[in-house]
Amino acid sequence: MLVYSVKQALSGAGVEGQELTVRGWVRTRRDSKAGLSFVHVGDGSCFAPIQVVAEQSLPNYQSEVLRLGPGCSVICTGKLVRSQGKGQSFEIQASRVEVTGFVDDPETYPIQPKAHTMEFLREVAHLRPRTNTFGAVSRVRHCIAQAIHRFFHEQGFFWVNTPIITASDCEGAGQMFRVSTLDLANLARGADGKIDFQQDFFGKEAFLTVSGQLAVEAYCLALSKVYTFGPTFRAENSNTPRHLAEFWMVEPEIAFADLHDDADLAEAFLKYVFRAVLDEREDDMKFFVERVDKGAIERLEKFVDAAFARVDYGQAVKLLEQSGKKFEFPVAWGMDLQTEHERFLTEQHFKCPVVVMNYPEQIKAFYMRLNDDERTVAAMDVLAPGIGEIIGGSQREERLDVLDRRMAAHELSPASYQWYRDLRRYGTVPHAGFGLGLERLVVYVCGLSNIRDAIPYPRTPGNAEF
RNA sequence: UCCAGCUUAGCUCAGUCGGUAGAGCAGGCGGCUGUUAACCGCCGGGUCCCUGGUUCGAGUCCAGGAGCUGGAGCCA
């Protein structure tokens, strides 16, 4: 017997009138006393379930088919026919319905054919992929991840797998999770009474990575166009709809490139990914428009058609000051832009995605290239309507003397950065890159309101269930 | 970490002035129907988040705690 996915069966391609088998989980069952039941079966291959028409004449109709409800797993075989009813193109006229798993206690099975709150579904993260919403989010997330790899591959980038465990605590992007095999109840201590990390697994302190950027820069200065794409960890006690302790980050890095090349890359990248979602996941996006966020598709369509605006940080501050708008937080040169400022620029002033460039050096990281004015660095934020910052990037400081000065100003010891400094000693070139959180992109594309719904099992302060 | 709000049936929620618990959905039973989150009738279902206090009496008022959510900070 030919086994088809629900997606293949619903397309009807070349198999109309033939016997085939689909396998999946029951969404709903409706009975007709005329002697048949309609069982909607989904297998996650696409948004829609397929309707299986089960007649009374099936040997297990009374004993099993009538006990089917949401969550039961089934293997259904039958002829694929055009539906007599409305609402679906094809359906399966079942000749056999094999139940592989009933639901223990249907009354307490959490996934019911009704609207659940996202908060409740987070408590049942192992069952929420069976809902319309999380099935759709999962497929869109996959589509985005594949589009990211495809975009870079087509542009001649190489995917570099930078380490998850890092023994340098100098990535400089926030609080880190410690990785250790020391016995916490009986810590090894040196003569000075401090913990003796020489006895730890790596012979020194080790942490989970907060960014692959510094490591990928080394590969950039050999392979020219590279990117990292992997899990990233931040031990910050941030409890917001935008933060996770474990998330996936994309960080491209290009050699012989300046900030404008970086902005060009970011624009082409985002448009490619959004177009892929519009092309490949129309079914899921239509659902988001219906039930999650009316503007989900329109937002992406506008985005891929818009030319990004580019504005200097200094100009942006002036625009905000002259806007006449009352902001909750004041605007002044030297301060970072708040979300409300970013949203004003992109939603009300420019009405399109905006790249803000050249921020004051004191509010940005040490590795960003100092501009000729000596007070700004070649940093950029890509702001998107409806969310604010979506990408942050910069041209990197390629001049060793300037880098050393910047490190001293940030009170970083050159000794811990020898290998990073080497990249400026041996054949340095201008280079640039940016960072993008995958989950934030998923939130933006799907119109979700909490990042915990953009990853299968969210890790946040006080929560590492499942 | 700071500020605010919320916590009542498996789920979503209502509960008036402090007087002893309700609806819809889900589940069970019956009816009806090529049905579309079907519909109609009946039934079962409660640690009102926890601890303590005020009161003749607390889901309701007060204090402390927990969890969740939103905003801020930090950031992707």
Side-chain angles (χ1 to χ4, degrees):
Chain A
M1 181 52 57
L2 291 173
V3 176
Y4 280 78
S5 70
V6 169
K7 181 185 177 181
Q8 291 171 315
L10 279 176
S11 77
V15 288
E16 187 181 349
Q18 289 180 31
E19 281 248 315
L20 53 78
T21 295
V22 297
R23 306 179 291 199
W25 292 266
V26 174
R27 305 298 284 272
T28 59
R29 188 196 87 225
R30 287 178 299 278
D31 303 322
S32 163
K33 279 295 185 314
L36 67 163
S37 292
F38 301 98
V39 184
H40 279 193
V41 176
D43 66 357
S45 58
C46 58
F47 180 80
I50 192 163
Q51 175 158 286
V52 174
V53 183
E55 307 225 13
Q56 199 166 41
S57 54
L58 290 170
N60 62 341
Y61 184 79
Q62 289 292 331
S63 61
E64 294 194 317
V65 173
L66 288 181
R67 285 171 57 209
L68 288 176
C72 296
S73 47
V74 289
I75 298 174
C76 300
T77 299
K79 196 179 283 184
L80 186 75
V81 297
R82 287 187 187 273
S83 180
Q84 298 170 37
K86 290 170 186 166
Q88 58 279 318
S89 48
F90 288 94
E91 64 188 18
I92 290 173
Q93 203 71 45
S95 58
R96 177 181 157 85
V97 174
E98 182 188 343
V99 181
T100 58
F102 280 107
V103 165
D104 258 2
D105 180 6
E107 192 170 357
T108 57
Y109 179 65
I111 309 302
Q112 298 171 8
K114 56 166 287 191
H116 289 97
T117 58
M118 300 296 258
E119 291 80 9
F120 169 70
L121 291 171
R122 269 171 228 152
E123 293 169 16
V124 287
H126 58 311
L127 298 173
R128 68 179 183 171
R130 301 180 182 198
T131 63
N132 283 334
T133 303
F134 286 91
V137 170
S138 303
R139 285 182 294 270
V140 168
R141 184 184 164 110
H142 166 83
C143 172
I144 290 172
Q146 291 295 318
I148 287 169
H149 281 302
R150 209 165 55 234
F151 171 81
F152 285 129
H153 179 71
E154 287 172 3
Q155 300 267 329
F157 282 66
F158 298 104
W159 180 26
V160 176
N161 304 117
T162 52
I164 309 278
I165 297 173
T166 168
S168 64
D169 67 347
C170 53
E171 291 181 352
Q175 293 280 69
M176 305 175 88
F177 286 101
R178 182 179 296 285
V179 176
S180 174
T181 54
L182 289 177
D183 180 1
L184 287 178
N186 185 22
L187 284 169
R189 292 187 187 275
D192 56 1
K194 290 185 178 163
I195 295 165
D196 182 9
F197 286 103
Q198 285 188 8
Q199 295 185 42
D200 205 349
F201 188 88
F202 296 105
K204 57 172 84 166
E205 288 186 87
F207 304 89
L208 294 179
T209 184
V210 293
S211 164
Q213 181 204 311
L214 301 192
V216 89
E217 277 186 49
Y219 273 71
C220 176
L221 298 192
L223 301 176
S224 301
K225 294 160 89 174
V226 296
Y227 67 107
T228 72
F229 186 4
T232 310
F233 307 86
R234 302 273 168 95
E236 249 123 37
N237 190 14
S238 325
N239 217 286
T240 84
R242 300 177 303 284
H243 290 88
L244 292 166
E246 176 184 286
F247 61 100
W248 286 63
M249 188 153 66
V250 183
E251 296 171 288
E253 194 76 27
I254 44 179
F256 301 99
D258 64 12
L259 191 61
H260 284 278
D261 298 320
D262 204 25
D264 289 344
L265 178 67
E267 180 169 347
F269 166 81
L270 287 173
K271 286 180 174 175
Y272 183 98
V273 171
F274 291 169
R275 203 176 290 285
V277 173
L278 289 170
D279 289 348
E280 296 166 27
R281 294 266 49 109
E282 193 183 2
D283 54 348
D284 295 318
M285 291 306 296
K286 276 184 175 160
F287 172 77
F288 291 131
V289 167
E290 252 174 62
R291 295 292 170 94
V292 178
D293 177 5
K294 275 183 202 154
I297 290 179
E298 195 189 349
R299 186 168 52 240
L300 296 189
E301 284 175 341
K302 279 188 174 166
F303 196 105
V304 299
D305 289 337
F308 286 21
R310 291 187 193 187
V311 62
D312 243 51
Y313 167 87
Q315 286 171 262
V317 169
K318 273 187 198 148
L319 287 171
L320 289 161
E321 283 171 344
Q322 292 164 2
S323 69
K325 293 278 289 185
K326 278 272 176 219
F327 294 110
E328 192 184 339
F329 293 89
V331 189
W333 199 97
M335 299 174 73
D336 213 350
L337 299 181
Q338 300 289 326
T339 300
E340 57 171 346
H341 305 142
E342 296 175 342
R343 294 189 61 166
F344 171 82
L345 290 172
T346 185
E347 288 163 33
Q348 294 185 43
H349 187 83
F350 290 103
K351 295 187 167 67
C352 66
V354 182
V355 187
V356 180
M357 310 172 102
N358 301 313
Y359 283 78
E361 62 92 12
Q362 66 267 30
I363 59 171
K364 290 292 182 182
F366 76 94
Y367 51 75
M368 299 186 176
R369 190 179 193 279
L370 192 65
N371 287 323
D372 292 345
D373 62 12
E374 299 257 316
R375 60 204 284 261
T376 61
V377 289
M380 66 162 191
D381 281 352
V382 180
L383 313 181
I387 187 172
E389 181 188 335
I390 193 164
I391 278 181
S394 70
Q395 184 175 342
R396 320 306 190 188
E397 183 54 73
E398 86 281 11
R399 301 160 297 185
L400 185 61
D401 56 327
V402 184
L403 183 68
D404 281 344
R405 258 197 291 146
R406 297 264 300 150
M407 282 171 49
H410 283 81
E411 294 178 347
L412 301 169
S413 94
S416 343
Y417 289 87
Q418 273 321 329
W419 67 266
Y420 190 69
R421 294 177 72 253
D422 276 354
L423 303 176
R424 279 71 183 167
R425 295 172 61 210
Y426 308 134
T428 192
V429 298
H431 59 293
F434 63 78
L436 166 101
L438 176 66
E439 288 76 16
R440 288 190 176 176
L441 203 56
V442 174
V443 162
Y444 187 69
V445 167
C446 300
L448 302 174
S449 50
N450 194 311
I451 200 164
R452 293 164 199 174
D453 303 320
I455 190 167
Y457 301 102
R459 272 77 178 94
T460 53
N463 194 338
E465 296 304 305
F466 305 101

